[in-house]
Amino acid sequence: MNAFSLAIKNLIRKPGRTAALTLLTAFLALSVFGGSLVVSSLQRGLHSLESRLGADIIVLPASAQSKVSFEKLLLQGTTGAFYMDASALDAVREVEGVEIAAPQTFLASLKADCCAVKVQVIGMDQETDFVVQPWIAQSYSRSLGDMDVAVGCKVEADVGETLRIYDENCHVVARLAPTGTGLDTAVYCNMDTMNHLLAAAEQKGVSHKITSDSEETISAVYVKVKDGYDIDQVNSKLNGHVRKATAVRTRSMLTQVSDSLAGVSRTVSLLIAAVWVLALIILLIAFAMMAAERRREFAVLRLVGTSRRGLCRLVLTESALCSLAGGLIGIGAAAAVVFPFTTLIETQLGLPYLTPDARTMLLLGALALGVTVLVGALASAWAALRLSRTDPGATLREGA
Amino acid sequence: MILRAENISKRYFRRTGQANYFEAVKPLSLALEPGSLTLLMGRSGGGKTTLLHMLSGLLTPTEGKVWLGDTDLYALPDAQLSRLRGEQIGVVPQGRSAVDTLTVLENVLLPGQLCGRPAKQETALYWLEALEIGNLADARPAALSGGELRRMAIARVLTQDPQVILADEPTGDLDDASTRLVLSILQKAAHEQGKTVFVVTHENDAREYADRVYRMDGGSLS
């Protein structure tokens, strides 16, 4: 019987003690893995949002509400629509320093018989768009034809199916990669399809017209600034030049999201650190109690030929096995809690949230396991050291 | 193998009367010969157990040396001393000395397995039978009485088959019949197997099994 098999027997035959230590370490692994998974998902969501908002400036209708609506639409997938006259696009293009101006028009479908699903429909000008098309190109290499739509990953429609919007049949030709933002719940089409859908919506009583005689409307203009121009200056010029519209730097929008994300990350990180310290303290106490309870047993082991180092090895092996089992249980529990509730977490946080890929998750799992085993080892090392220094002769005399 | 104590003493540093220390064992020399059973008797608190622990390599003397053959026990590093104890010095300590998570049989086989010289299971079972606890081989120590645990500790030492056996009140919890059984087994180990056997006891009846009897009171040997 070596230290390993003795440790296994000790763990199996003292199930209460083993379960308590395993549970403690499982709780630690759960918090470390669960917390880092949430933080990592938020960071990935922000990166995804950055790449989806490839514009320097977004021009929106000039109501205070519209920017809020736009952010909600972008982050939480709330459906909504706001419009400005299409002439705003020309005004944007007239401003010096504007390299590309790509319009988008929004339309919210209804939760009614005329629509298969309640989604945000986003129409884009395929000739100028530099925001949505690169994303669509990842899944669909051709241009969107009339009445073709590309759907976000959370829209319940598969490629080849028909999606009914305001009693118009749209053909799903692509399903887009996830972004972790509200864009995943939207449907994308070209401007001709959008105009068709706007007309259909008009017939159902959903008006997109700003005034009764306005012909064409758009919801937003994505602007790319020419190299060498100051984006803030161009933004100011746009605000001065384009009537009834507000130009917003995407960075300021991202900064707000980033600040919120930093706040959440900080809170989660603090929680992880608190749990880490708490677990270390509890484990230190648990191992100290265990050491006190098992003093005589360890003295007997010394008596029958176990060296100090052998004793340390036994305690550390027991702790490592407990931590390893606890770590795996905790990681499994965290996965069972976090993955099924991804949508709920995303909704509650109101921030872009994109679950990491398998490789990152494996790395996070390994990290959580490493931290758990390290804490177990640190806590037990102290107990092992104390035990190994105890005089076995004196211990054997106690309570003899 | 001869076990020798050379001017060993043990002092504990605590204020007692005029002195700053308590001398549990006063300087003494002792030679335990192979093939003989030596008895150490005396009143409680006389230093008997302290002496036994120093002889077994468990307690470093304040002064003096302990030799097993040509080996100075306390000059060895811990790993070597522990290995030597596992292989050549069998100790029956006072009180409970079981690893509670192991069965009686596993406890008896433990020393050999820990030092990489595993004893045969038949040998362990033989000694358990000889000590009349063969039926408890698969029991856990928590289910055993004090007397049964003492006999388990003795079976462990006999299975370990060391050159030297040091037993601290091995008959403490035993009835008369079991006491006679244990003492006769230890006597046979000395006389028939040539082992060096040293027994600390309060039993006057044990004298008839001993080749030599020492008395220890107030830390002094006589």
Side-chain angles (χ1 to χ4, degrees):
Chain A
M1 191 181 306
N2 54 26
F4 186 76
S5 55
L6 184 57
I8 293 275
K9 280 184 177 164
N10 283 340
L11 293 176
I12 291 172
R13 292 176 185 177
K14 284 282 182 187
R17 188 172 70 198
T18 307
L21 288 175
T22 305
L23 267 176
L24 272 172
T25 50
F27 180 62
L28 173 66
L30 187 148
S31 64
V32 171
F33 183 61
S36 48
L37 198 61
V38 169
V39 170
S40 174
S41 299
L42 288 169
Q43 282 168 346
R44 199 156 174 254
L46 180 67
H47 290 315
S48 168
L49 183 64
E50 279 170 352
S51 59
R52 290 283 65 79
L53 286 180
D56 297 317
I57 297 166
I58 300 174
V59 181
L60 299 162
S63 63
Q65 196 61 31
S66 57
K67 191 186 148 206
V68 176
S69 305
F70 182 72
E71 280 184 8
K72 275 191 171 178
L73 186 150
L74 201 63
L75 300 177
Q76 295 168 24
T78 314
T79 56
F82 34 82
Y83 299 102
M84 57 188 170
D85 198 281
S87 62
L89 177 62
D90 295 328
V92 169
R93 284 175 177 156
E94 283 164 12
V95 171
E96 192 188 348
V98 172
E99 185 181 2
I100 308 171
Q104 283 189 358
T105 306
F106 303 152
L107 174 67
S109 68
L110 298 176
K111 197 174 182 180
D113 289 345
C114 64
C115 303
V117 282
K118 187 174 190 300
V119 287
Q120 182 72 20
V121 187
I122 297 175
M124 47 149 187
D125 175 19
Q126 290 192 104
E127 285 184 13
T128 55
D129 180 83
F130 58 92
V131 178
V132 180
Q133 290 208 110
W135 181 30
I136 294 177
Q138 291 173 14
S139 325
Y140 188 65
S141 56
R142 291 151 57 190
S143 295
L144 293 177
D146 286 348
M147 302 312 287
D148 283 349
V149 291
V151 297
C153 68
K154 288 187 181 166
V155 177
E156 288 177 16
D158 286 325
V159 173
E161 286 182 2
T162 299
L163 201 61
R164 193 160 41 81
I165 300 170
Y166 291 110
D167 279 336
E168 297 293 329
N169 287 330
C170 300
H171 313 295
V172 179
V173 295
R175 197 173 170 79
L176 303 176
T179 66
T181 67
L183 299 173
D184 290 337
T185 59
V187 169
Y188 303 85
C189 62
N190 65 26
M191 276 301 189
D192 289 340
T193 306
M194 175 51 83
N195 288 332
H196 202 81
L197 293 175
L198 286 170
E202 185 83 26
Q203 284 181 4
K204 302 282 176 194
V206 180
S207 178
H208 64 281
K209 292 183 177 175
I210 302 155
T211 58
S212 56
D213 58 345
S214 61
E215 286 299 316
E216 275 191 63
T217 51
I218 55 173
S219 300
V221 181
Y222 284 72
V223 175
K224 196 171 189 72
V225 173
K226 280 181 188 168
D227 285 345
Y229 280 84
D230 184 79
I231 298 173
D232 283 327
Q233 282 183 3
V234 175
N235 194 62
S236 298
K237 282 182 192 170
L238 283 168
N239 275 322
H241 186 70
V242 186
R243 289 178 60 239
K244 293 183 182 174
T246 306
V248 184
R249 278 204 62 176
T250 49
R251 204 178 65 185
S252 75
M253 201 177 281
L254 285 173
T255 305
Q256 284 175 22
V257 176
S258 179
D259 287 349
S260 306
L261 190 144
V264 174
S265 295
R266 206 167 28 245
T267 308
V268 173
S269 302
L270 274 173
L271 278 174
I272 293 174
V275 170
W276 203 89
V277 172
L278 197 67
L280 182 64
I281 292 169
I282 294 173
L283 281 171
L284 272 170
I285 295 168
F287 275 108
M289 285 168 68
M290 177 214 72
E293 179 206 328
R294 297 174 69 186
R295 275 183 72 199
R296 195 164 181 88
E297 175 191 330
F298 288 120
V300 171
L301 287 171
R302 292 277 288 137
L303 182 81
V304 297
T306 305
S307 64
R308 286 195 176 97
R309 188 175 285 184
L311 215 56
C312 285
R313 203 178 301 133
L314 175 69
V315 175
L316 289 174
T317 305
E318 284 186 24
S319 136
L321 288 170
C322 270
S323 309
L324 208 60
L328 291 172
I329 291 168
I331 289 167
V337 170
V338 174
F339 292 134
F341 297 105
T342 297
T343 312
L344 184 69
I345 296 169
E346 192 180 331
T347 312
Q348 290 297 313
L349 291 176
L351 289 168
Y353 187 92
L354 192 57
T355 308
D357 55 29
R359 191 170 159 270
T360 311
M361 277 196 279
L362 277 175
L363 273 172
L364 288 175
L367 176 81
L369 200 60
V371 166
T372 309
V373 173
L374 179 72
V375 169
L378 281 175
S380 62
W382 179 69
L385 206 67
R386 273 191 60 193
L387 276 170
S388 70
R389 287 182 179 170
T390 304
D391 173 11
T395 306
L396 287 168
R397 290 188 71 172
E398 288 169 11
Chain B
M1 196 176 284
I2 190 163
L3 181 66
R4 280 187 304 121
E6 196 178 284
N7 280 320
I8 59 169
S9 65
K10 186 68 189 177
R11 284 196 291 269
Y12 291 103
F13 289 89
R14 68 173 190 229
R15 183 166 286 281
T16 49
Q18 295 296 309
N20 283 329
Y21 57 85
F22 162 70
E23 197 158 36
V25 174
K26 292 176 177 155
L28 63 86
S29 295
L30 176 73
L32 302 173
E33 301 287 341
S36 71
L37 190 154
T38 305
L39 219 59
L40 180 62
M41 303 186 78
R43 294 180 63 187
S44 297
K48 302 186 295 297
T49 298
T50 305
L51 173 62
L52 184 137
H53 284 162
M54 287 194 288
L55 292 174
S56 64
L58 283 169
L59 183 66
T60 311
T62 309
E63 283 169 348
K65 290 182 176 178
V66 177
W67 298 87
L68 179 65
D70 297 329
T71 308
D72 178 357
L73 290 190
Y74 293 99
L76 294 174
D78 178 68
Q80 280 185 43
L81 176 58
S82 299
R83 189 173 181 83
L84 186 80
R85 199 164 47 234
E87 288 176 357
Q88 297 193 37
I89 305 173
V91 184
V92 180
Q94 276 187 54
R96 286 176 59 88
S97 65
V99 177
D100 288 340
T101 50
L102 303 180
T103 65
V104 167
L105 180 62
E106 286 168 341
N107 265 285
V108 169
L109 289 167
L110 189 61
Q113 288 173 331
L114 285 175
C115 66
R117 217 183 52 162
K120 285 183 179 167
Q121 191 165 308
E122 294 79 49
T123 310
L125 288 170
Y126 168 80
W127 284 118
L128 287 172
E129 288 292 341
L131 288 155
E132 299 173 345
I133 50 169
N135 58 325
L136 297 171
D138 295 325
R140 297 275 282 279
L144 270 61
S145 69
E148 287 164 341
L149 281 168
R150 304 293 295 150
R151 281 180 278 165
M152 186 206 78
I154 295 160
R156 182 172 61 209
V157 163
L158 294 166
T159 304
Q160 184 185 351
D161 195 23
Q163 292 293 313
V164 177
I165 296 174
L166 305 169
D168 195 354
E169 298 186 27
T171 58
D173 298 306
L174 303 182
D175 57 42
D176 289 347
S178 297
T179 298
R180 284 194 295 275
L181 174 69
V182 166
L183 288 171
S184 67
I185 285 175
L186 290 174
Q187 188 186 46
K188 276 184 189 171
H191 293 171
E192 293 176 15
Q193 296 174 45
K195 297 190 187 302
T196 307
V197 182
F198 182 70
V199 177
V200 171
T201 185
H202 291 290
E203 303 277 347
N204 269 320
D205 294 348
R207 286 172 179 273
E208 63 186 271
Y209 297 89
D211 299 299
R212 193 162 186 184
V213 179
Y214 286 104
R215 190 165 178 85
M216 196 165 188
D217 284 306
S220 299
L221 200 62
S222 56

